[in-house]
Amino acid sequence: MSPQAAAAVFTSRALAALGEVCDLAPLPVLDDLSTVRAKEVLADVEVLVTGWGCPRLDADVLAAAPRLKAVVHAAGSVRGHVTDACWERGLAVSSAAAANALPVAEYTLAMILLHGKHVLERARDFARTRARDNWLLTTQDVGNYRRTVGILSASLIGRRVIELLRPFDFDVLLHDPYVTPAQAAELGVEWVELAELFTRSDLLSVHTPLLPATRGLVDRTLLGAMRPGAALLNTSRGAVIDQDALTDVVRAGRIRAVLDVTDPDVLPADHPLWDCPNALITPHLAGSQGSEWERLADTAVDEVARWAAGDGFAHPVRRERLAFLA
C-alpha cells in the first residue's frame, strides 16, 4: 500500500496486533513491488496485507512470491490490484469492504433524516433571516413520518442502510435485479421495478456498484420520473448517474440532491451544481475516515489470524462474484 495509507490505517497499536498473529516483515511498507528490497521480502511472504495504493499483483509479482497464498485487503474493492494471475494461482483473497460499508451506511442514514426535516435549507434560511418561522405552518413535505425511502441495490451498504432504517417510520422500497420479492420481504422491504422505485420514493439512495452494466443506469428518464421535491442521495460512484441529466433536474428545482460522489469525482470549479441551493456536495467522505480506519486495520488483523489458524476468511472475495462487486 502507499506509505500514506499505511500511516493512516495501521497505527502502532494495529501493527503490534498484526505482529502478534504473524511474523511481520520489517517496515517500511512496500509500495513498489519491482524493487530489489521488494523482491527480497516477497520471496518469503505467505500473506500480503494490502491497502490503498497497492500495485497490481500481476504474474511478474507473483513469480517473485512463490510462497504467497493469501491477500488480505485492508480496504474495500480489490479490483485495482488483484489480477487474473492471482485467481489462477488460487490465492485466497479477503477484503474489509464490509467494515468500510458501515460508515457509508451511517452517513446515508444521517442524510436521510436531515433531508427529511429539510435541515440544510431551513438552516440556511435561518442564518439569512435570523428569525424563526411559525413552526405550525410547516408544510406537509417536511418530516420523516411515513416517508418512502427507495434503496437502489442490496449491496453490503444497501443492506446495512435497510437495517439502520428499521427503527424509523419509513416505508422502504428496494430494487435489485438479483434479489427476489420474497428475499426482499425477508429484509423487511418491498421489492419494486426500477421505474417504480423512482416514481414512488420521497428519498432515493443509490448503492449500486459501478460496473459496465450500471454506468449511467440512473438516466434522464428515471430522474425525470421522480416526485417534485424528492431527494436523490448517491454514495456509490458518480458515473452510475447521468451527471448532465442530474444537473438539469436539480438546477430546475425539481429534486434535491446529496452527492458524496460525482462524475468526475471532483466537479470543475465552475460547475453549476456547486451553487445550487438544493444540492449538497460532500468530498467523498462517507467511507472510512479518521477513527474509522482503525476498524479496517482490526478487520485485516482478524482475517490474518483466522487464516493462520486454518479457519478461513470471514470476509472472502470470490472470483465468481467479481461481476457484482465494486
Side-chain angles (χ1 to χ4, degrees):
M1 66 192 74
S2 72
Q4 187 176 15
V9 176
F10 285 93
T11 62
S12 56
R13 183 200 66 79
L15 287 174
L18 188 58
E20 290 178 2
V21 299
C22 67
D23 294 326
L24 192 60
L27 296 177
V29 300
L30 300 178
D31 62 338
D32 181 346
L33 300 180
S34 65
T35 66
V36 172
R37 175 178 175 266
K39 291 179 179 179
E40 291 174 349
V41 172
L42 289 172
D44 293 324
V45 161
E46 294 176 281
V47 180
L48 270 180
V49 176
T50 61
W52 293 301
C54 179
R56 285 173 58 80
L57 306 179
D58 57 22
D60 289 340
V61 171
L62 297 188
R67 302 181 62 195
L68 182 64
K69 298 181 179 65
V71 177
V72 174
H73 191 47
S77 177
V78 301
R79 284 182 174 273
H81 65 291
V82 174
T83 66
D84 287 342
C86 296
W87 302 114
E88 291 162 6
R89 171 86 159 259
L91 298 184
V93 179
S94 169
S95 166
N100 197 48
L102 300 180
V104 182
E106 291 163 0
Y107 171 100
T108 300
L109 174 64
M111 289 302 173
I112 289 172
L113 295 175
L114 287 172
H115 257 63
K117 297 285 279 190
H118 291 217
V119 165
L120 302 174
E121 302 96 314
R122 297 169 79 187
R124 185 167 48 244
D125 290 343
F126 191 28
R128 176 176 52 82
T129 64
R130 306 296 200 274
R132 277 188 66 186
D133 291 333
N134 184 341
W135 59 276
L136 288 176
L137 297 179
T138 303
T139 57
Q140 288 290 318
D141 64 333
V142 174
N144 288 310
Y145 180 63
R146 298 305 301 272
R147 293 301 179 202
T148 299
V149 175
I151 304 295
L152 181 53
S153 181
S155 60
L156 285 170
I157 297 169
R159 288 170 184 264
R160 180 57 177 164
V161 171
I162 289 170
E163 291 176 2
L164 294 178
L165 290 173
R166 283 176 186 154
F168 301 94
D169 292 311
F170 289 117
D171 296 322
V172 183
L173 309 177
L174 169 68
H175 176 78
D176 188 315
Y178 302 103
V179 173
T180 67
Q183 290 169 334
E186 291 176 359
L187 294 172
V189 300
E190 179 187 352
W191 190 96
V192 295
E193 295 287 356
L194 182 60
E196 186 177 356
L197 186 76
F198 280 78
T199 58
R200 288 180 57 188
S201 297
D202 295 304
L203 186 143
L204 196 151
S205 192
V206 179
H207 300 290
T208 303
L210 180 58
L211 305 168
T214 63
R215 183 174 293 273
L217 173 68
V218 181
D219 60 15
R220 190 173 296 274
T221 299
L222 291 173
L223 292 169
M226 293 183 72
R227 297 177 178 181
L232 180 77
L233 199 164
N234 188 14
T235 57
S236 59
R237 289 293 184 268
V240 171
I241 299 176
D242 180 334
Q243 188 72 63
D244 292 339
L246 176 63
T247 300
D248 289 345
V249 295
V250 172
R251 290 187 70 195
R254 286 201 67 258
I255 69 170
R256 297 174 293 147
V258 181
L259 308 173
D260 192 49
V261 289
T262 54
D263 184 26
D265 205 34
V266 178
L267 293 175
D270 60 351
H271 197 283
L273 277 182
W274 288 118
D275 298 318
C276 279
N278 52 332
L280 172 67
I281 304 173
T282 55
H284 206 153
L285 56 77
S288 298
Q289 291 192 359
S291 66
E292 295 156 347
W293 288 321
E294 190 172 2
R295 184 189 285 123
L296 302 182
D298 288 346
T299 299
V301 171
D302 289 345
E303 290 290 72
V304 173
R306 287 178 59 91
W307 186 85
D311 295 332
F313 290 137
H315 305 287
V317 179
R318 309 291 188 194
R319 186 180 192 179
E320 61 272 17
R321 291 287 301 164
L322 284 179
F324 311 101
L325 300 177

